[in-house]
Amino acid sequence: MQETLANNPPLILTIDDEEFIRNSFTDILEDNGYEVIQAENGRIGLNKIREHRPDLILCDLQMTEMNGLDVVRTVKEEFETIPILIISGAGVLKDAIEAVRAGACYYQVKPLFNFDILLQ
């Protein structure tokens, strides 16, 4: 799998207002052969999605300027096939249900202790 990633690494966008979280995800993903770009809020994230068309989006729910649910809804309207994983600090069942209904394919509560979901 590493050889395949090296030849054509998938592009992953991380959208989170916490720089430490974005950098942590970037480090782990890049160490495993993925290409990563970052956005510090939903509006910037949408601009990067439109510009780069990532293969996967990792998105926080609670952010300034535009929350993760609005990002999910917009991405699903404009780019139906890009998978979105919500990784949120808020472990609220209602948020998880709403994120999946909006089109997210996965919901995980921070902090992540097992990164297998990111490396598949």
Side-chain angles (χ1 to χ4, degrees), residues 33-54:
Y34 295 92
E35 183 179 348
V36 182
I37 54 176
Q38 299 183 10
E40 58 268 20
N41 65 52
R43 290 199 194 286
I44 293 170
L46 285 176
N47 289 335
K48 290 194 176 195
I49 292 163
R50 291 174 181 129
E51 180 181 349
H52 300 284
R53 299 275 179 115

Side-chain angles (χ1 to χ4, degrees), residues 2-119:
Q2 286 298 95
E3 184 177 324
T4 304
L5 291 179
N7 293 335
N8 190 17
L11 178 62
I12 299 175
L13 170 62
T14 63
I15 307 173
D16 198 303
D17 56 353
E18 294 182 54
E19 183 178 13
F20 174 78
I21 299 293
R22 290 192 318 271
N23 290 338
S24 295
F25 289 160
T26 297
D27 291 345
I28 291 164
L29 292 165
E30 286 179 344
D31 286 350
N32 283 277
Y34 295 92
E35 183 179 348
V36 182
I37 54 176
Q38 299 183 10
E40 58 268 20
N41 65 52
R43 290 199 194 286
I44 293 170
L46 285 176
N47 289 335
K48 290 194 176 195
I49 292 163
R50 291 174 181 129
E51 180 181 349
H52 300 284
R53 299 275 179 115
D55 298 299
L56 175 68
I57 301 165
L58 306 178
C59 187
D60 188 18
L61 270 188
Q62 305 300 322
M63 298 179 287
T64 59
E65 293 196 40
M66 179 180 239
N67 69 37
L69 286 174
D70 290 336
V71 171
V72 171
R73 289 182 186 111
T74 303
V75 168
K76 287 303 164 185
E77 286 176 10
E78 293 183 30
F79 311 98
E80 190 175 321
T81 61
I82 299 176
I84 304 170
L85 280 66
I86 296 294
I87 301 175
S88 177
V92 179
L93 182 59
K94 178 180 88 60
D95 289 343
I97 292 169
E98 194 170 352
V100 171
R101 283 185 178 158
C105 61
Y106 189 79
Y107 183 96
Q108 176 68 49
V109 177
K110 293 181 213 170
L112 291 182
F113 296 107
N114 181 347
F115 291 90
D116 289 346
I117 188 66
L118 301 183
L119 303 176

